[in-house]
């Protein structure tokens, strides 16, 4: 058996097992499996070392382990090192390789070129780091807003971008929400520096929060005829890049999308 897993805490809500098992089935990889494993922070390192020494091929790593995943790795991809977080581990002959597929996944969803565009990223956690890195690396001018300003300042010092406290919503080509706002049904327009009426048709609005129905943020953006990318699309895109690292095969995107959405 070739085993894969997502490691998180909590992790029971994750759609990765449904999505990745659908992909493995579609590829005819019948001796592969993917499961969710809840690992407490103080058990993470031991668990990963045990997996690398056993019959595991790799793992996705999610909150709160993305920083610890870097620390436990024997080798880091350049992207993971620069972002400062890893979401994918690959075990080869007992060695632990760490990657960040959030960045590459997001890039597959963005317009062909973001060079010269103006972007606003909301948030300054691990997800924000991958988004800012991707946009800065591809030539966008990136402003970063965060509720706790110290974190956005630190992020911009590490990765580029400009911390802002009162962003002008209409001035951006791309707006990405990487905060947790919306996860529990919060009103994004009271927590974030945006207004429902402030979106424009020329804008691309990305919300990393994933749910079956459009989030309040994306509903408002659609109402104003902005382009949108939702959290499930981002989940599928990063999962596809991870799957390719583990199996070497072209990911069956349609099967992955369907499984992620019908959970
Ligand atoms: P992740 O790795 O998923 O990005 P994180 O590091 O916990 O997770 O970051 C969560 C982000 O959501 C942070 O930017 C956080 O803002 P703070 O740095 O001020 O904590 C943001 N966030 C969470 N709840 C929020 C709220 N009610 N209003 C605004 N921002 C919020």
């Amino acid at each position: 058996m070739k085993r894969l897993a997502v490691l998180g805490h909590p992790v029971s809500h994750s759609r990765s097992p449904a999505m990745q098992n659908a992909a493995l089935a579609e590829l005819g990889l019948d001796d592969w499996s993917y499961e969710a494993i809840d690992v407490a922070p103080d058990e993470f390192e031991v668990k990963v070392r045990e997996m690398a020494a056993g019959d595991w091929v790799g793992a996705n790593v999610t909150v709160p382990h993305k920083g610890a995943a870097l620390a436990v790795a024997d080798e880091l991809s350049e992207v993971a090192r620069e972002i400062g977080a890893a979401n994918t581990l690959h075990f080869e002959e007992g060695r632990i390789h760490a990657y960040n597929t959030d960045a590459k996944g997001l890039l597959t969803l963005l317009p062909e070129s973001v060079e010269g565009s103006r972007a606003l990223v909301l948030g300054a956690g691990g997800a924000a780091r991958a988004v800012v890195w991707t946009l800065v690396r591809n030539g966008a001018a990136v402003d970063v807003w965060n509720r706790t300003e110290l974190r956005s300042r630190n992020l911009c010092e590490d990765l580029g971008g400009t911390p802002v406290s009162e962003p002008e919503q209409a001035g951006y080509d791309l707006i990405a929400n990487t905060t947790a706002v919306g996860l529990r049904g919060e009103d994004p327009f009271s927590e974030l520096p945006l207004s429902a009426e402030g979106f424009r048709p020329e804008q691309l609005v990305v919300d990393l929060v994933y749910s079956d129905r459009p989030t309040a943020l994306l509903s408002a953006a659609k109402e104003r005829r902005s382009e949108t990318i939702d959290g499930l699309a981002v989940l599928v895109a990063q999962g596809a890049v991870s799957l390719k690292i583990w199996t070497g095969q072209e990911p069956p995107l349609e099967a992955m999308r369907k499984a992620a959405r019908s959970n």
Side-chain angles (χ1 to χ4, degrees):
M1 206 66 193
K2 295 197 166 89
R3 303 175 76 188
L4 298 165
V6 54
L7 309 178
H9 185 69
V11 77
S12 57
H13 65 284
S14 172
R15 298 198 178 184
S16 290
M19 173 178 78
Q20 297 289 8
N21 282 315
L24 294 170
E26 184 76 16
L27 291 172
L29 298 174
D30 299 334
D31 54 341
W32 290 63
S33 70
Y34 188 111
E35 62 202 87
I37 305 179
D38 195 312
V39 186
D42 60 353
E43 292 163 4
F44 180 77
E45 184 177 343
V46 171
K47 181 71 189 172
V48 169
R49 292 199 187 286
E50 197 182 284
M51 290 170 83
D55 58 354
W56 296 83
V57 177
N60 281 128
V61 175
T62 187
V63 178
H65 304 310
K66 288 186 180 185
L70 270 195
V72 75
D74 299 305
E75 273 167 61
L76 307 180
S77 74
E78 191 191 336
V79 184
R81 184 175 50 244
E82 288 188 14
I83 291 174
N87 74 329
T88 302
L89 298 174
H90 188 201
F91 310 127
E92 279 183 314
E93 289 160 13
R95 288 183 70 74
I96 303 167
H97 302 260
Y99 299 86
N100 190 310
T101 68
D102 289 330
K104 196 166 176 194
L106 177 67
L107 202 55
T108 65
L109 300 172
L110 292 177
E112 207 160 293
S113 173
V114 293
E115 192 164 356
S117 64
R118 293 199 60 203
L120 172 65
V121 176
L122 307 170
R129 295 182 74 89
V131 174
V132 171
W133 184 91
T134 303
L135 293 169
V136 168
R137 266 301 189 93
N138 287 280
V142 183
D143 286 350
V144 183
W145 175 92
N146 194 52
R147 178 178 61 179
T148 311
E149 270 190 58
L150 179 62
R151 291 186 82 196
S152 37
R153 283 209 298 276
N154 288 340
L155 184 155
C156 291
E157 268 173 34
D158 290 350
L159 300 175
T162 309
V164 292
S165 52
E166 288 175 27
E168 174 65 57
Q169 183 175 353
Y172 296 99
D173 304 301
L174 189 157
I175 297 175
N177 174 39
T178 75
T179 73
V181 173
L183 213 56
R184 288 171 201 83
E186 304 93 330
D187 175 10
F189 304 109
S190 64
E191 311 285 317
L192 303 175
L194 300 174
S195 79
E197 300 74 32
F199 294 111
R200 293 184 295 109
E202 306 79 30
Q203 289 177 320
L204 173 61
V205 184
V206 184
D207 193 354
L208 261 49
V209 168
Y210 68 72
S211 77
D212 289 316
R213 289 180 301 124
T215 57
L217 188 77
L218 291 190
S219 297
K222 279 181 206 265
E223 193 120 317
R224 296 276 148 179
R225 290 179 288 116
S226 307
E227 295 291 321
T228 58
I229 295 176
D230 69 11
L232 283 173
V234 177
L235 177 81
V236 170
Q238 62 79 35
V241 181
S242 298
L243 187 73
K244 187 156 188 190
I245 290 171
W246 299 319
T247 66
Q249 302 219 28
E250 247 359 275
L253 288 172
E254 211 33 62
M256 295 176 80
R257 279 189 202 112
K258 203 166 154 228
R261 288 190 192 276
S262 64
N263 206 271

